Amino acid sequence: MTTTEPTTSTLTVHHDGVTIPVTRGGRGRPLVLVPGLSSTQADLAELAELLRRDHDVITFDLRGHGLASTADRYTFAAFLGDLGAVLAELALPEPPVLVGYSLGADLAVHHAAEHPDAVAELVLVDGANPLPEPFLADIDLAWFRELAEEQATGTLTAEEIFDLGVEIDVVRSGILDRYRKVDHPITLIMSTAIAGDSGEGRAPRHNRLWRAGVERLVRERPDVTTHWLDADHRLVFTHAPEIARIVRRTLDRC
């Protein structure tokens, strides 16, 4: 007996002067995979293919990423608009599950808070963490600027990546208010060592802060389910099969 692999189709969404490539394929409930900063739908291909076995999976590139066109603005609000435009264009038969990675998790929470009837459930992978204090303290800014220079792709400049990192810290400082507006099941899949497992430098503080943020959310929302993976922030690339299994088990209960 042979199993037919799910076929995929593509479309392009035009929004705010930007062209956004979208890929769709699979079977079952609709699921939108929301990428993070400096990640693309190509980067998330392994996870997307695993999820397509049980779900109608939609992937896309945010402005300035992958095959999407460049833009005049790279802000949290602009990326949130990209997500909204993709969902509006798709006109799905039922509200989708949003699976957001890193920045994509923050976008998913904000979209669900603003459009509660347009989302069925949230699965948040190593993002949308209501940190009790800024992840980037003053002492971290020089280090983060160097990191932004390494991550600059030629589309987003180092300065734009740096500014986005600082903005994301601000967004997360107020994200508990957004969670209070989300009346849907929420599952977290978080790394135990977002900053790596070194016992030196910034890693211990960042890892403690990451866990403290999740604990803060669970105190506020005890209905949130949390899974911890022994990984760093690259978990969506290094642990795709484990993440897919968690998503599958989570959604099978519905």
Side-chain angles (χ1 to χ4, degrees):
M1 179 178 176
T2 60
T3 301
T4 302
E5 291 296 322
T7 59
T8 60
S9 59
T10 61
L11 68 131
T12 301
V13 174
H14 300 274
H15 159 72
D16 192 29
V18 179
T19 57
I20 302 172
V22 180
T23 304
R24 180 177 182 181
R27 56 179 73 88
R29 294 175 65 191
L31 182 154
V32 179
L33 188 53
V34 190
L37 181 62
S38 299
S39 67
T40 68
Q41 57 179 327
D43 295 329
L44 302 177
E46 181 182 4
L47 178 59
E49 287 306 310
L50 290 168
L51 293 173
R52 283 192 175 109
R53 298 174 186 175
D54 303 289
H55 298 90
D56 176 11
V57 177
I58 296 97
T59 63
F60 67 99
D61 288 327
L62 294 165
R63 61 181 59 207
H65 290 70
L67 299 178
S69 64
T70 58
D72 296 331
R73 301 180 297 132
Y74 298 107
T75 63
F76 186 84
F79 290 132
L80 185 60
D82 292 346
L83 171 58
V86 168
L87 293 174
E89 182 72 20
L90 288 168
L92 296 170
E94 60 180 290
V97 176
L98 298 187
V99 179
Y101 165 59
S102 192
L103 167 64
D106 297 82
L107 297 175
V109 171
H110 278 249
H111 184 83
E114 295 175 8
H115 307 280
D117 295 335
V119 176
E121 187 161 349
L122 298 178
V123 179
L124 309 174
V125 183
D126 230 30
N129 196 333
L131 304 175
E133 59 186 81
F135 200 70
L136 296 175
D138 290 344
I139 195 173
D140 298 312
L141 294 182
W143 159 79
F144 185 65
R145 192 174 293 279
E146 292 179 4
L147 181 63
E149 290 174 357
E150 294 174 4
Q151 292 180 338
T153 61
T155 302
L156 270 72
T157 67
E159 193 65 27
E160 287 166 335
I161 293 173
F162 178 85
D163 289 344
L164 278 166
V166 173
E167 184 183 10
I168 291 168
D169 248 5
V170 174
V171 167
R172 288 177 179 165
S173 71
I175 202 169
L176 268 183
D177 288 337
R178 298 289 177 167
Y179 275 109
R180 294 180 183 119
K181 298 178 181 179
V182 178
D183 188 22
H184 303 293
I186 300 173
T187 299
L188 304 182
I189 304 174
M190 308 298 278
S191 64
T192 57
I194 186 173
D197 57 7
S198 170
E200 301 177 351
R202 298 167 183 82
R205 173 185 175 269
H206 286 173
N207 292 337
R208 286 195 302 269
L209 187 58
W210 201 242
R211 184 171 287 274
V214 173
E215 292 170 351
R216 184 183 184 210
L217 174 60
V218 172
R219 285 195 299 272
E220 174 80 20
R221 288 285 304 266
D223 58 309
V224 169
T225 301
T226 306
H227 301 268
W228 292 95
L229 294 185
D230 187 13
D232 60 23
H233 193 52
R234 298 170 299 168
L235 73 170
V236 78
F237 313 121
T238 60
H239 291 64
E242 292 174 64
I243 292 172
R245 282 194 291 271
I246 292 171
V247 173
R248 208 172 284 122
R249 289 198 304 267
T250 296
L251 301 183
D252 281 351
R253 60 167 163 64
C254 299

